[in-house]
């Protein structure tokens, strides 16, 4: 069973999942004790607040934010690269994954590294502002508008 969870203001709204439509349930009151896996993609602050609680209830959290990437007790996993490190998840019942551009890059680099050790790599990424959420999108809109009407640009 798949359950859609969100904050109380989203309870009752509907999201599509394959051929199904799921009604959103309140994350604050959801009982994770009978849940196997929680795919957390709600931002770092939400993950830091809820993931430890969810993990203590026996559910494994796979977190998509930056919240746990540097926690020594949380494995940072890209299955194609270091699947064996997943055994460390049980310390907190949380698994982290790297930034989206990093994940796809290391999948491509792993076989090269295995063949001829990579000593250094320099990477530049140009990522979508949508990753910053609504506030970031609004800021980009306002800055773009300011350029076109010759207003001062505010950060």
């Amino acid at each position: 069973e798949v359950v859609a969870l969100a904050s109380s203001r989203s309870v009752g709204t509907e999201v599509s999942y394959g051929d199904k439509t799921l009604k959103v349930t309140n994350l604050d009151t959801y009982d994770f004790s009978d849940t196997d896996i929680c795919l957390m993609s709600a931002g770092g602050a939400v993950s830091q607040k809820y993931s430890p609680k969810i993990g203590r209830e026996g559910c494994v959290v796979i977190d998509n934010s930056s919240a746990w990437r540097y926690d020594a007790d949380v494995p940072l996993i890209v299955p194609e690269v270091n699947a064996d490190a997943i055994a460390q998840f049980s310390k907190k019942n949380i698994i982290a994954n790297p930034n989206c551009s990093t994940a796809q890059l290391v999948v491509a680099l792993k076989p090269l590294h295995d063949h001829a050790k990579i000593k250094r790599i320099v990477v530049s990424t140009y990522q979508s502002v949508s990753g910053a959420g609504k506030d970031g999108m609004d800021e980009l809109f306002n800055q773009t508008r300011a350029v076109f009407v010759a207003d001062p640009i505010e950060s």
Side-chain angles (χ1 to χ4, degrees):
E1 178 184 8
V2 174
V3 178
L5 299 169
S7 67
S8 59
R9 73 173 185 263
S10 296
V11 169
T13 59
E14 296 180 342
V15 294
S16 61
Y17 174 73
D19 295 336
K20 298 178 182 178
T21 300
L22 305 174
K23 282 202 185 260
V24 173
T25 303
N26 193 340
L27 174 62
D28 283 322
T29 58
Y30 190 77
D31 178 8
F32 285 90
S33 63
D34 195 30
T35 303
D36 297 316
I37 297 172
C38 171
L39 301 176
M40 177 73 72
S41 190
V46 173
S47 183
Q48 286 180 329
K49 179 179 178 180
Y50 289 97
S51 293
K53 170 189 171 283
I54 295 167
R56 284 190 299 271
E57 289 188 40
C59 179
V60 177
V61 177
I62 300 174
D63 182 55
N64 194 38
S65 76
S66 60
W68 305 100
R69 291 178 183 158
Y70 295 102
D71 188 310
D73 292 330
V74 175
L76 182 64
I77 302 294
V78 176
E80 297 84 353
V81 176
N82 65 337
D84 56 318
I86 203 165
Q88 302 168 21
F89 84 92
S90 61
K91 292 179 181 176
K92 292 187 177 179
N93 271 0
I94 301 172
I95 298 168
N97 67 288
N99 175 280
C100 55
S101 57
T102 302
Q104 59 189 340
L105 180 65
V106 297
V107 168
L109 292 175
K110 173 74 163 102
L112 297 172
H113 179 72
D114 289 347
H115 181 71
K117 300 294 181 209
I118 297 172
K119 294 179 182 171
R120 180 172 184 253
I121 188 162
V122 176
V123 177
S124 297
T125 64
Y126 302 91
Q127 297 181 38
S128 173
V129 72
S130 63
K134 183 182 180 320
D135 291 341
M137 294 292 292
D138 290 346
E139 181 177 348
L140 176 62
F141 176 84
N142 292 329
Q143 290 172 345
T144 303
R145 184 194 164 284
V147 167
F148 284 110
V149 297
D151 282 349
I153 297 171
E154 298 178 20
S155 295

